[in-house]
Coordinates of all heavy atoms in Angstrom, one line a residue:
A922 N 92.6 303.5 20.4 CA 92.6 304.9 21.0 C 93.9 305.5 21.1 O 94.0 306.7 21.5 CB 91.8 304.9 22.3
T923 N 95.0 304.8 20.9 CA 96.4 305.4 21.1 C 97.4 304.7 20.2 O 97.1 303.5 19.8 CB 96.8 305.2 22.6 OG1 98.0 305.9 22.8 CG2 96.9 303.8 23.0
D924 N 98.5 305.3 20.0 CA 99.6 304.6 19.4 C 100.7 304.2 20.4 O 101.7 303.6 20.1 CB 100.3 305.4 18.2 CG 100.9 306.6 18.7 OD1 100.8 307.0 19.9 OD2 101.6 307.3 17.9
A925 N 100.4 304.5 21.7 CA 101.3 304.0 22.7 C 101.0 302.5 22.9 O 99.9 302.0 22.6 CB 101.0 304.7 24.1
P926 N 102.0 301.7 23.4 CA 101.8 300.3 23.6 C 100.7 300.2 24.7 O 100.7 300.9 25.7 CB 103.1 299.8 24.1 CG 104.2 300.8 23.8 CD 103.4 302.1 23.7
V927 N 99.8 299.2 24.6 CA 98.8 298.9 25.6 C 98.9 297.4 25.9 O 98.9 296.6 25.0 CB 97.4 299.2 25.1 CG1 96.4 298.9 26.2 CG2 97.3 300.6 24.5
I928 N 99.1 297.1 27.2 CA 99.3 295.8 27.6 C 98.2 295.3 28.6 O 98.0 296.0 29.6 CB 100.7 295.7 28.4 CG1 101.7 296.5 27.6 CG2 101.1 294.2 28.6 CD1 102.8 295.7 27.0
G929 N 97.6 294.2 28.4 CA 96.7 293.6 29.3 C 97.5 292.7 30.3 O 98.4 292.0 29.9
I930 N 97.0 292.7 31.6 CA 97.8 291.9 32.6 C 97.7 290.4 32.3 O 98.6 289.7 32.6 CB 97.4 292.3 34.0 CG1 96.0 291.9 34.4 CG2 97.8 293.7 34.3 CD1 95.7 291.9 35.9
A931 N 96.6 289.9 31.8 CA 96.5 288.5 31.5 C 97.5 288.1 30.4 O 98.3 287.2 30.5 CB 95.1 288.1 31.1
E932 N 97.4 288.9 29.3 CA 98.3 288.7 28.2 C 99.8 288.7 28.7 O 100.6 287.9 28.3 CB 98.0 289.9 27.2 CG 98.8 289.8 25.9 CD 98.5 291.1 25.1 OE1 98.4 292.2 25.7 OE2 98.3 291.0 23.9
A933 N 100.1 289.7 29.5 CA 101.5 289.9 30.0 C 101.9 288.7 30.8 O 103.0 288.1 30.7 CB 101.7 291.1 30.8
A934 N 101.0 288.2 31.7 CA 101.3 287.1 32.6 C 101.5 285.8 31.8 O 102.4 285.0 32.2 CB 100.2 287.0 33.7
F935 N 100.6 285.6 30.8 CA 100.8 284.3 30.0 C 102.1 284.3 29.3 O 102.8 283.3 29.3 CB 99.7 284.2 29.0 CG 98.3 284.1 29.6 CD1 97.2 284.5 28.8 CD2 98.0 283.7 30.8 CE1 95.9 284.5 29.3 CE2 96.7 283.6 31.3 CZ 95.6 284.0 30.6
H936 N 102.5 285.4 28.7 CA 103.8 285.5 28.0 C 104.9 285.2 29.0 O 105.8 284.4 28.7 CB 104.0 286.9 27.3 CG 103.3 287.0 26.0 ND1 102.0 287.4 25.9 CD2 103.7 286.7 24.8 CE1 101.7 287.4 24.6 NE2 102.7 286.9 23.9
A937 N 104.9 285.9 30.2 CA 106.0 285.7 31.1 C 106.0 284.3 31.6 O 107.1 283.6 31.7 CB 105.8 286.7 32.3
A938 N 104.9 283.7 32.0 CA 104.9 282.3 32.5 C 105.4 281.3 31.5 O 106.1 280.4 31.9 CB 103.5 282.0 33.0
A939 N 105.0 281.5 30.2 CA 105.5 280.6 29.2 C 107.0 280.7 29.0 O 107.6 279.7 28.4 CB 104.7 280.9 27.9
M940 N 107.6 281.7 29.4 CA 109.1 281.8 29.3 C 109.8 281.2 30.6 O 111.0 281.1 30.6 CB 109.5 283.3 29.2 CG 109.1 284.0 27.9 SD 109.8 285.6 27.9 CE 108.3 286.5 27.4
L941 N 109.0 280.9 31.6 CA 109.6 280.5 32.9 C 109.3 279.0 33.1 O 110.0 278.4 34.0 CB 109.0 281.3 34.0 CG 109.2 282.8 33.9 CD1 108.4 283.5 35.0 CD2 110.7 283.1 34.1

Side-chain angles (χ1 to χ4, degrees):
T923 183
D924 64 351
V927 183
I928 317 249
I930 65 164
E932 184 184 39
F935 297 155
H936 277 90
M940 292 183 227
L941 301 170

